[in-house]
Amino acid sequence: MPHSKITGLGFYVPETVVTNADLAAQMDTSDEWIIERTGIRERRFFKEGVDTVSNMGARAARIAMERAGKKPEDIDMVVFATLSPDYHFPGCGVLVQRELGLRHIPCFDVRQQCAGFIYALSLADQYIKTGFAKTILVIGAEIQSNVMEISDRGRNMAVIFGDGAGAVLLEAHEETGKGILSTHIHADGTHAEELFVEHVGSKLKKRVTHEMIDDGSLLPHMNGKMVFINAVKYFPEVIREALKANNLKEADIDLLIPHQANARITQAVQKEFNMPDEKVVSNIHKYGNTTAASIPIALTEAWEAGRVKEGDLVCIAAFGSGFVWASALIRW
Ligand code: UT7
């Protein structure tokens, strides 16, 4: 049976850097509060007319393809993870296909929020294992800065989220014990409304009203404490599940790349596994929480910095709105 292996990776973040001080000038918050509660110092905000979720994803994908030595005609499938697509429909997968000049291959979106990238990777991995596809682009990209309200009312969310994109190229190979060892994906919809955007949806006869704009119900809602408590429970659980499935121990992990939700969540997971700083990737101070993009951005940065070496055991894990959570073990 073929296995899948990451052979190229890339990321793109918009040019505009927004510091905590920039936000504090527009709402009742402070650099100290944001750093203490989240670890974030700055994030990137997209530029209208320059950056879109699909074109940022395509830029990241182009880098991944170049690094893997692949041309547009080599790609068999696109799996695009995002909660913030350019259009309500169609999804970003087909827009990337157009942008990169890919063949008439299957291209689709995955909407699994912060666990979106691992869900997308898991799907791509299954298509490779069955022989359906040999070369798949897996992309995670988000624009969130325009759904947050940069005001006192929106401050609990506006300080956390940022924009960006990351991508990997997944290829079929026959070497056993290398590449994606396993993926583990879960969901519990009983808490769907603890982190969600209610409108504009299809539940109501009038999808959008002036009242929705005025009362803030078009903005995302997050029960931060509830999300936090569940994140610190499920991150370790799903990492242990992956280790057990592969007969590996916590100490075998060479590099842990958690979804960059909040530095305090990463620290809690690190403490749970008693891991030194050099084995845990954290770049949230630079980009904030970029949801489906955070893992491929962090993975690419770690790889570029020489922190991912041949033979290393890399663990990625995520938790987010849904609730959904996931992990994957990769032997590099
Ligand atoms: O990627 C997955 C999705 N999201 C997450 O993983 C986020 C998980 N949750 C969190 O990261 C944290 O819950 C937050 C960072 C969102 C909030 O931290 P917290 O320690 O849970 O703070 P809190 O919500 O309990 O708020 C504490 C205080 C409140 O004031 P009072 O009621 O104590 O007077 C808030 O109104 O901090 C206030 N507050 C702020 N103050 C300054 C909330 N947001 C801000 C802000 N600046 N931006």
Side-chain angles (χ1 to χ4, degrees):
M1 187 167 70
H3 303 278
S4 50
K5 193 174 176 179
I6 294 173
T7 55
L9 59 187
F11 79 102
Y12 169 86
V13 288
E15 252 177 57
T16 310
V17 175
V18 176
T19 64
N20 292 346
D22 295 331
L23 293 180
Q26 298 174 76
M27 65 174 85
D28 182 16
T29 191
S30 64
D31 187 36
E32 297 72 36
W33 192 95
I34 302 171
I35 292 173
E36 192 196 314
R37 302 288 173 127
T38 71
I40 300 164
R41 291 178 183 273
E42 58 189 45
R43 72 286 292 145
R44 303 297 177 98
F45 280 7
F46 85 111
K47 190 166 181 199
E48 194 178 300
V50 175
D51 302 308
T52 64
V53 167
S54 64
N55 80 21
M56 294 195 305
R59 284 175 213 171
R62 239 182 230 118
I63 299 168
M65 284 166 65
E66 264 170 38
R67 285 177 170 160
K70 293 290 168 199
K71 301 213 157 34
E73 57 270 27
D74 300 325
I75 309 300
D76 296 332
M77 182 182 284
V78 174
V79 190
F80 198 118
T82 186
L83 58 66
S84 51
D86 296 16
Y87 303 133
H88 215 68
F89 69 87
C92 284
V94 298
L95 303 179
V96 162
Q97 175 195 33
R98 181 173 66 188
E99 179 117 3
L100 297 179
L102 308 181
R103 292 175 292 120
H104 289 175
I105 55 169
C107 299
F108 57 90
D109 285 28
V110 168
R111 292 188 53 172
Q112 296 302 84
Q113 300 67 251
C114 298
F117 179 77
I118 304 181
Y119 262 77
L121 192 75
S122 178
L123 272 164
D125 182 44
Q126 312 310 318
Y127 278 115
I128 284 183
K129 281 183 182 149
T130 58
F132 187 96
K134 284 196 164 56
T135 307
I136 306 182
L137 275 174
V138 183
I139 303 170
E142 306 283 4
I143 287 180
Q144 319 204 73
S145 55
N146 55 4
V147 77
M148 306 295 148
E149 192 175 71
I150 310 293
S151 72
D152 292 354
R153 186 170 70 174
R155 69 177 182 172
N156 76 318
M157 295 200 72
V159 300
I160 297 178
F161 294 93
D163 305 337
V168 300
L169 191 96
L170 213 57
E171 279 191 74
H173 75 107
E174 297 296 337
E175 232 178 316
T176 42
K178 273 269 174 109
I180 312 285
L181 300 183
S182 63
T183 60
H184 305 268
I185 53 177
H186 295 280
D188 176 3
T190 53
H191 304 297
E193 286 78 17
E194 299 296 351
L195 175 49
F196 81 135
V197 185
E198 187 173 7
H199 307 300
V200 178
S202 57
K203 263 169 68 175
L204 304 179
K205 284 281 181 194
K206 281 196 174 169
R207 288 195 180 199
V208 62
T209 64
H210 289 291
E211 289 73 41
M212 288 175 192
I213 297 170
D214 295 339
D215 69 17
S217 59
L218 291 176
L219 303 174
H221 158 83
M222 178 170 78
N223 178 347
K225 284 219 184 309
M226 177 81 173
V227 176
F228 197 101
I229 289 165
N230 280 278
V232 296
K233 172 175 184 243
Y234 286 114
F235 264 107
E237 200 175 291
V238 77
I239 293 169
R240 288 202 172 101
E241 180 187 336
L243 289 168
K244 195 168 170 216
N246 292 283
N247 281 322
L248 291 163
K249 301 183 300 295
E250 292 167 15
D252 294 327
I253 298 176
D254 294 302
L255 199 65
L256 174 65
I257 307 181
H259 159 55
Q260 307 287 301
N262 179 325
R264 286 192 293 144
I265 294 176
T266 298
Q267 282 152 15
V269 178
Q270 179 173 353
K271 199 166 160 219
E272 173 86 19
F273 291 109
N274 201 16
M275 292 177 92
D277 288 349
E278 58 273 18
K279 283 193 168 191
V280 183
V281 174
S282 177
N283 64 0
I284 195 168
H285 55 288
K286 290 193 286 185
Y287 307 123
N289 178 338
T290 56
T291 306
S294 93
I295 290 177
I297 293 175
L299 178 61
T300 306
E301 274 203 340
W303 178 82
E304 286 174 354
R307 292 179 73 183
V308 185
K309 294 176 291 300
E310 186 77 23
D312 277 356
L313 184 68
V314 178
C315 179
I316 57 177
F319 177 88
S321 155
F323 293 143
V324 288
W325 61 101
S327 67
L329 277 177
I330 306 162
R331 179 69 70 187
W332 211 264

